[in-house]
Amino acid sequence: MGTSLRDRIAALAAERSSGYTAADRAVFAEFRSALARGDVRAAERGPDGRWRANAWVKQGILLGFRIGAITEMADGPVLKFFDKDTYPLRPTTAADQVRIVPGGSSIRDGAYVAPGVVCMPPMFVNVGAYVDEGTMIDSHALVGSCAQIGKRVHLSAAAQIGGVLEPVGALPVVIEDEVFVGGGCGVYEGTVVRERAVLAPGTILTGATPVHDLVRGEIYRAADDQPLEIPAGAVVVPGSRHVGGERGKAWGLSLYAPVIVKYRDAGTAAAVQLEDYLR
């Protein structure tokens, strides 16, 4: 039995060599193709519902940057760019059934983009990302490296889904099925947004952000071994909380605080439904 792709990537990643051979580059190309097909993922949900990073996959992505050399590339006769030759644009054809509307969008090779995804210009999907069926990526939206995006997600205009490459054991950002991410939202640092949640425009979620749940009387925070998690169906809006202490009170200061004001119901679903007729 031949050595597994995982073992070959791990061996190359451990070498710390600068003299990579054509055979080494072929191993990486095989790995990148597996990423683009969705056969390997930077993170996966286990039977217990917890998401876990696949460290070897993230090692492989980092390996691609180490192996590559900066070269001139082109997207059509006009646009030129300069990047590592191991990460060209993802080759996409009509057979992929991915809509990429004209206007400056890019998908880096090594990202999986499923049939039925709609990409509105300009948007960018980075290497290692996984974007599942029926998702809409709107204008000026970013899907960062290794981010995991579920089915029928709506990433509204200017939504930023952060990338997490290092450390390799760190969980990337996860957006589960049928989540609605409003315009100008930012989700960073391995935050997990569970299925059917709604993030109102302007909501920012990070590993250091406490989220106050007015419905259940809970405060959600990231811990050393657990990411910040937004519960399934939660509707999160930007809020604020007073700054304590003498100066905070004297100056009337408040800090940003995302707040769960309700859980998704039929009315919410109608308000955030995807424009299926555009697909």
Side-chain angles (χ1 to χ4, degrees):
M1 180 183 296
T3 306
S4 71
L5 178 60
R6 176 174 181 165
D7 290 342
R8 285 179 285 155
I9 287 293
L12 281 175
E15 280 182 9
R16 296 290 174 184
S17 169
S18 58
Y20 294 102
T21 66
D24 295 335
R25 292 175 69 92
V27 170
F28 174 75
E30 181 184 346
F31 167 76
R32 188 184 61 207
S33 295
L35 274 174
R37 294 192 303 270
D39 292 343
V40 298
R41 298 178 62 168
E44 293 178 284
R45 181 171 173 167
D48 60 357
R50 289 184 60 184
W51 284 85
R52 295 174 176 84
N54 286 326
W56 77 272
V57 174
K58 297 174 77 176
Q59 282 181 325
I61 294 169
L62 290 168
L63 175 67
F65 288 104
R66 206 162 75 222
I67 289 178
I70 295 177
T71 187
E72 180 179 317
M73 302 183 189
D75 182 15
V78 178
L79 178 64
K80 292 195 301 183
F81 60 100
F82 301 85
D83 201 355
K84 293 294 185 81
D85 60 0
T86 42
Y87 285 117
L89 290 177
R90 180 184 185 274
T92 304
T93 69
D96 294 315
Q97 291 297 295
V98 175
R99 285 184 57 198
I100 304 176
V101 179
S105 297
S106 295
I107 302 173
R108 212 172 197 173
D109 202 4
Y112 173 73
V113 182
V117 171
V118 178
C119 302
M120 300 300 292
M123 47 65 65
F124 180 64
V125 178
N126 209 347
V127 59
Y130 187 102
V131 184
D132 218 332
E133 298 175 358
T135 285
M136 164 78 81
I137 308 174
D138 216 332
S139 301
H140 295 94
L142 163 72
V143 179
S145 53
C146 299
Q148 306 290 298
I149 310 297
K151 294 180 172 64
R152 296 176 299 281
V153 170
H154 190 129
L155 301 179
S156 299
Q160 304 289 292
I161 308 302
V164 180
L165 256 181
E166 294 185 282
V168 293
L171 186 72
V173 175
V174 176
I175 309 293
E176 291 191 342
D177 295 351
E178 298 183 350
V179 168
F180 183 90
V181 180
C185 287
V187 186
Y188 308 105
E189 298 175 358
T191 297
V192 175
V193 182
R194 294 293 187 178
E195 63 269 14
R196 301 186 70 251
V198 176
L199 306 184
T203 299
I204 306 295
L205 301 173
T206 74
T209 308
V211 178
H212 295 71
D213 189 338
L214 297 180
V215 180
R216 298 177 178 174
E218 301 282 348
I219 300 176
Y220 306 116
R221 292 183 173 91
D224 290 341
D225 60 343
Q226 291 291 326
L228 172 66
E229 286 199 14
I230 302 303
V235 178
V236 189
V237 304
S240 63
R241 55 191 176 93
H242 292 299
V243 174
E246 184 177 340
R247 288 181 179 173
K249 293 178 181 178
W251 293 344
L253 298 179
S254 60
L255 296 174
Y256 168 75
V259 179
I260 296 174
V261 293
K262 61 181 287 187
Y263 280 76
R264 196 163 175 174
D265 55 22
T268 311
V272 300
Q273 64 184 353
L274 303 181
E275 298 89 347
D276 289 335
Y277 63 90
L278 290 177
R279 301 175 187 276

